[in-house]
Amino acid sequence: MMKEKIKNLAAALKEEVIQNRRHLHANPELSYQEYNTAKFVREKLEEIGITGIEQKAETGWTACIEGKNPHKKVIALRADMDALPIIEANEVSYKSKNPGVMHACGHDAHTASLLGAAKILHQVKDLFEGTVKLIFQPGEEVAPGGASLMIQDKVLENPRPNGIIGQHVMPFIPVGKVGFRQGIYMASADELYITVKGKGGHGAMPETLIDPVLIASHLIVALQQVVSRAASPKVPSVLSFGRVEALGATNVIPNEVKIQGTFRTLDEPWRAKAHQKMLQIAHGLVEGMGGEVDFEIRKGYPFLKNDPALTAKAKDAAIEYLGPDNVVDLDIWMAAEDFAYYSQVVDGCFYRLGTRNEAKGIVSGVHTPTFDIDEDALEIGAGLMAWLAVAELEKS
Ligand SMILES: [Zn+2]
Ligand SMILES: [Zn+2]
């Protein structure tokens, strides 16, 4: 039986997937600079015996594993390969050897898992019908998003997949479990860059100045009404400012204040309207107080919607593979993910792989210097991806 076969292959491959993950973890590369990572992935794919590997978006790859009747249906599996500018704080044998760069979002696990899935699928390709398209992409963490570049480079053509599945580690879900959500799952994310300009000078003579610090303080408070008043309570929205820069002193008012933040939501028309609202409030308030404002909104990834039918099928297949107790439902997650670009073109399913283990002290969130995964998750990471692809091809 196919499921047992895949489970056995995944168990046999576990050590290899762990070793690959450790190699990637120790040698992280920043977004769009994944040259050694890409080289490693290509070598592994060739070792497996996969042919027809195509380079995409400079440091990405795609390749097909054809089963019997390869044109019947195509399902794509995607992994991202980039790391983050974080100094790793974990004291582990596979600690980052690249100072200031760390796989703190688990993309090492995604890449190692997909390599494992590829090896499994290559070994069972005479037993399924259709084609599995592998996608290894660069630059998930940094705009414009490696996914958008891969799509521009025609990764979703020739053959065009009928659906695409992506896997991401989740440190809030215990190892052994996975999570799914049908429909809207993750947020759009836009970067906000505001400069409030006034007229600086001696702090003892406010009557001669236009104080950008006071104006910026009012502006930060006023903009919150976009999410508390202008937004429908039915549509989640987040407005957060994480950086305020006023380079004065106790007695020096600076000429300008810079503010950076993020706006996230789950609705495209509202996203556009919110942008207009923020600009309107900023101009009205700052100019009303005698200052000037530059307000740049850099649009980031769109919201991520999981195709309900594809996701329902994948969830059922996961229940078959792991049992009902090990498949959980996910809540909306206001982070963004460039997988959203694929899911705008073809049906997508982005699911979560549990990597938490409190007994081992593995509890840190992604994007932190102490992030790590319980590597026991990798056997599922590789096996389940292979199984979901096969299940999707067969149940059609
Ligand atoms: Zn990340
Ligand atoms: Zn990530």
Side-chain angles (χ1 to χ4, degrees):
M1 196 185 158
M2 192 62 152
K3 187 182 76 186
E4 299 313 322
K5 202 164 184 83
I6 288 176
K7 275 193 169 176
N8 291 338
L9 288 168
L13 264 180
K14 182 178 171 182
E15 268 317 304
E16 185 179 323
V17 177
I18 289 174
Q19 289 317 314
N20 285 345
R21 181 260 167 172
R22 289 186 175 191
H23 173 85
L24 293 165
H25 192 89
N27 297 280
E29 291 173 296
L30 290 173
S31 307
Y32 309 108
Q33 296 167 32
E34 309 89 342
Y35 292 97
N36 291 325
T37 305
K39 190 166 166 270
F40 176 81
V41 168
R42 185 176 179 117
E43 282 166 10
K44 291 290 163 190
L45 289 173
E46 285 173 349
E47 242 174 70
I48 293 167
I50 288 168
T51 53
I53 304 166
E54 284 178 54
Q55 186 179 11
K56 296 279 176 196
E58 183 79 15
T59 47
W61 303 116
T62 186
C64 283
I65 301 171
E66 297 190 337
K68 292 173 295 178
N69 194 6
H71 302 296
K72 186 183 164 201
K73 196 171 183 184
V74 180
I75 188 87
L77 299 178
R78 170 271 205 174
D80 42 12
M81 303 189 289
D82 55 327
L84 287 159
I86 292 177
I87 300 167
E88 176 155 24
N90 296 312
E91 290 306 329
V92 287
S93 62
Y94 47 89
K95 182 175 180 166
S96 170
K97 290 187 228 166
N98 190 354
V101 185
M102 176 188 175
H103 268 296
C105 200
H107 299 187
D108 51 345
H110 309 162
T111 300
S113 293
L114 187 54
L115 283 172
K119 191 163 184 174
I120 294 168
L121 289 162
H122 185 74
Q123 290 176 70
V124 299
K125 65 184 160 72
D126 297 331
L127 304 174
F128 67 83
E129 283 189 83
T131 293
V132 179
K133 186 168 199 169
L134 308 169
I135 297 176
F136 292 90
Q137 71 156 77
E140 193 286 321
E141 298 285 0
V142 174
S148 71
L149 302 180
M150 295 290 281
I151 294 167
Q152 268 174 35
D153 219 353
K154 302 187 178 5
V155 77
L156 296 180
E157 296 168 36
N158 258 329
R160 181 185 176 89
N162 301 86
I164 182 165
I165 297 173
Q167 169 174 255
H168 202 295
V169 298
M170 176 50 103
F172 303 125
I173 299 178
V175 65
K177 295 181 191 285
V178 295
F180 288 83
R181 182 182 178 86
Q182 297 175 35
I184 288 174
Y185 172 43
M186 292 176 72
S188 59
D190 303 313
E191 295 179 352
L192 312 177
Y193 297 88
I194 307 172
T195 304
V196 175
K197 297 174 188 168
K199 179 168 170 273
H202 201 300
M205 295 186 288
E207 75 279 17
T208 65
L209 314 176
I210 297 166
D211 182 354
V213 179
L214 182 68
I215 300 173
S217 308
H218 277 287
L219 182 59
I220 289 169
V221 176
L223 286 172
Q224 283 302 328
Q225 71 186 280
V226 172
V227 293
S228 69
R229 301 290 85 186
S232 161
K234 285 173 272 188
V235 181
S237 303
V238 177
L239 178 63
S240 292
F241 292 102
R243 188 177 174 101
V244 180
E245 190 183 285
L247 299 175
T250 55
N251 54 1
V252 178
I253 305 287
N255 281 318
E256 60 179 34
V257 173
K258 289 181 185 294
I259 306 170
Q260 292 180 15
T262 179
F263 175 73
R264 292 153 187 260
T265 189
L266 299 171
D267 180 271
E268 260 330 287
W270 159 238
R271 181 188 187 188
K273 205 173 144 195
H275 291 176
Q276 288 315 309
K277 196 84 193 158
M278 285 190 281
L279 293 172
Q280 194 191 350
I281 291 171
H283 281 281
L285 184 138
V286 175
E287 285 158 20
M289 292 181 76
E292 281 174 48
V293 64
D294 281 343
F295 196 149
E296 189 196 344
I297 300 175
R298 285 187 209 156
K299 282 187 86 176
Y301 305 157
F303 68 84
L304 190 159
K305 186 171 178 230
N306 282 325
D307 179 73
L310 176 68
T311 307
K313 262 203 253 175
K315 187 184 168 189
D316 286 347
I319 289 172
E320 227 181 302
Y321 194 85
L322 296 170
D325 294 344
N326 291 321
V327 180
V328 301
D329 289 317
L330 297 169
D331 209 345
I332 283 169
W333 178 250
M334 293 303 279
E337 168 54 66
D338 81 348
F339 186 85
Y341 285 114
Y342 299 116
S343 66
Q344 286 188 331
V345 183
V346 297
D347 292 349
C349 169
F350 190 69
Y351 73 96
R352 293 286 176 170
L353 175 70
T355 54
R356 183 185 190 85
N357 190 329
E358 296 196 23
K360 294 182 186 171
I362 299 170
V363 294
S364 293
V366 292
H367 293 215
T368 68
T370 50
F371 173 76
D372 202 357
I373 63 163
D374 184 338
E375 291 176 323
D376 285 344
L378 294 169
E379 183 180 340
I380 298 172
L384 182 62
M385 265 214 135
W387 168 245
L388 292 183
V390 168
E392 176 55 30
L393 290 175
E394 298 210 320
K395 286 172 187 171
S396 53

